[in-house]
Each structure stands twice: as C-alpha cells, then as structure tokens.
C-alpha cells in the first residue's frame, strides 16, 4: 500500500534526526520531533508504536528504504552509515517499474492537453522538487480547476478502456431532471478546456457518445456484460476532424476567417486546428486563414472568443450564426 502523506512526513522527520549526529536520539526524542512536525502539518499527534513501525518500515528493503538504522547503548538510534539519508536513496527497480508504467499511461492517454510531451512532465516534477525546499517558491504554474468534479473516476475509466470491460454509469446531464443508468463500452479519455470526457459505445443510442466526468454520479465495472468493439473508432484519428469533444454529422468543411493585425500573430503561433494554413496576408496587416473541420459549438465559441479580432468569411451559414449570436449579446448590453 502506498505510504500516506502523514507517514512520509514522519519518515522525513526521523531521517533528519538520524542525520544529525551532533546529538543522541532516543525513541522518545523521535516521537517528540514527529509530533512537532505532525502538529504543524495537520494538527494531529503520533504514538510511540507508530514511530516504532515507521522505523521498522524504513529498515525494510521492500517496500521500505533499507535504511541502516541501529541502536547503541540499548536506547540511542542512529544510522550505521554516517553518510546515509533516505533522500540519497537511488530509485529502486520496483520504483523504476512503477515510473515506467505511469509514463506508459500518460503516453496512451493521448487526450491529455496538460501533457503535450514528456518535457512537460519533467518540468512539473522539477518544479515540484524545487518547491519542496521551504526557502524556494514554486516558479511554474499550470492551469487547474480546484472545483472540478469527476476526476476520481479517471482510474476506473482508464482500467475499463485498457481491459475492455463494460461500465455501468449513472449519468446526470444538465438537461435531464434525474440521472440515468447506462451500460457503456468506453474507448478513450479526452481533456478539453480543463474538463474530462470519456468516449464510448452507448448501449441505447447505438453509436459513439461522450460523457463529461463531472456529470457522472457513479461508475462500476460489470464483468458479466459483453464489451462492444468498434473498428470504426480510432482515437488516433477520431479527434482530428473537429475542435473540442463534439463530433456532429455534416462532414468536414473549410472554414475561412480573417484575423486582424493585432490577433493574427497569436493565431499564427497558436493555431485553432492542426489543419490551419495562411491563405493571404493583406496590406493592413490582417491575415486570412483556413481550417478544415466539422463545425460544432466548440469551434463557434473559439471564433467568438476573439470578438472583433476575427471575422468568419465562409461558410456563410457559420458567419450568419456567429453574427446572430453577437447581435443577441449586444442587445443584452443595450439600454
């Protein structure tokens, strides 16, 4: 079982004590230091027996640290190796295996916007290590949503996907008055705008749908149901034709839009879609771009987010839709 944060804090406290060879450490001394750390961290205390178990754990080779903790004069604790510290312990083969498994999970979950490459992961880990030093402040900050619900379902959804197991989901959409229960064969997870979605085969709809994780009320694997395969769903290509998570009927269309001189550099360096291309640079500095996408609400919101900085030129129906939305919005602010 993985060590809790409280246990890790006690291991670190005991380690700091035993590394300090300027004084002798009795069991009661170690308990007092652990209590000081626990009171500061979470306002709780620790028993003598808990510290004894912590020492036993630290001494063990697996899953502990193999720490050379010895007792001399029948009362004083210290490290047999004066240079030893659990902070200097190299990564074990077991830890390395777990790390590799975690990296494989990240590489398979291609919908992670927050992990566009392993460089991003390394940056996060380095910043975390830097911030553990109390004298150093964190220097890298990533977008997060502390109120986001549903993240607790990520592990079971991931396991259902890789093991091809049917899920029983209780889902409460924004439009429904009450939650409904579905059997669901899940195929992929995707993050968009800091929300998570699971894609799979809907038992009643008989086609691929997506469920937002923050609207799931329960999820469990059902072993006696047959997982529905879908050869037409390929996560590597499924998301290529649209922005966001909504794949509507109607097929891919070429969307042409003009970006103002002020917005063009941002859109050029951060394309709306991987198909984006520059068609024309005008004398006033504005730029005309094209993208090949399925038109959905996510695309409309993306384009409208630039307000007066972007004008849709084609198709006409999309331009008219955005124009009408802007007019309705303008009326809300008109006295």
């Amino acid at each position: 079982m993985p060590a809790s944060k409280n246990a890790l804090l006690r291991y670190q406290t005991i380690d700091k004590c035993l590394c300090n060879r300027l004084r002798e450490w009795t069991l009661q001394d170690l308990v007092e230091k652990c209590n000081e750390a626990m009171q500061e961290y979470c306002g709780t205390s620790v028993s003598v027996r808990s510290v004894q178990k912590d020492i036993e754990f630290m001494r063990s080779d697996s899953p502990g640290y193999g720490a050379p903790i010895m007792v001399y004069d029948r009362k004083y604790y210290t490290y047999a190796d004066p240079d030893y510290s659990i902070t200097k312990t190299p990564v074990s083969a077991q830890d390395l295996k777990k790390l590799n498994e975690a990296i494989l999970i990240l590489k398979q979950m291609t919908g992670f916007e927050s992990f566009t490459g392993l460089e991003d992961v390394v940056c996060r880990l380095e910043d975390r290590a830097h911030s553990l030093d109390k004298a150093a402040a964190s220097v890298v900050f990533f977008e997060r949503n502390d109120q986001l619900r549903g993240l607790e379902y990520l592990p079971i959804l991931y396991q259902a996907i890789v093991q091809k197991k049917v899920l029983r989901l209780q889902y409460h959409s924004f439009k429904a008055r009450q939650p409904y229960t579905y059997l669901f064969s899940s195929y992929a997870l995707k993050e968009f705008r800091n929300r998570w979605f699971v894609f799979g085969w809907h038992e009643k709809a008989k086609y691929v749908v997506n469920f937002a994780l923050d609207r799931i009320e329960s999820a469990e694997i059902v072993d006696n149901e047959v997982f529905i395969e879908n050869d037409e769903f390929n996560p590597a290509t499924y998301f290529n034709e649209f922005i966001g998570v909504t794949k509507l009927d109607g097929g891919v269309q070429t969307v042409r839009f003009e970006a103002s001189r002020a917005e063009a550099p941002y859109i050029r360096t951060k394309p709306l879609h991987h198909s984006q291309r520059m068609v024309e640079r005008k004398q006033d500095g504005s730029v005309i771009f094209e993208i090949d996408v399925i038109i959905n609400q996510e695309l409309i919101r993306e384009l409208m987010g630039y307000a007066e900085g972007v004008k849709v030129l084609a198709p006409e129906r999309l331009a008219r839709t955005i124009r009408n939305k802007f007019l309705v919005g303008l009326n809300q602010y008109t006295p």
Side-chain angles (χ1 to χ4, degrees), residues 80-124:
D81 180 356
D83 295 325
Y84 180 85
S85 170
I86 62 173
T87 62
K88 300 178 182 178
T89 304
V91 177
S92 67
Q94 183 179 6
D95 291 337
L96 186 59
K97 180 182 177 183
K98 291 179 179 178
L99 181 59
N100 286 330
E101 289 175 351
I103 292 173
L104 285 175
I105 291 174
L106 292 176
K107 291 174 70 175
Q108 290 182 51
M109 288 187 174
T110 55
F112 275 72
E113 286 186 350
S114 299
F115 297 101
T116 54
L118 290 180
E119 298 86 359
D120 195 349
V121 179
V122 173
C123 184
R124 288 169 182 261

Side-chain angles (χ1 to χ4, degrees), residues 121-141:
V121 179
V122 173
C123 184
R124 288 169 182 261
L125 293 174
E126 287 180 338
D127 183 62
R128 176 57 180 159
H130 180 72
S131 64
L132 287 176
D133 183 356
K134 293 185 178 180
S138 184
V139 296
V140 181
F141 297 89

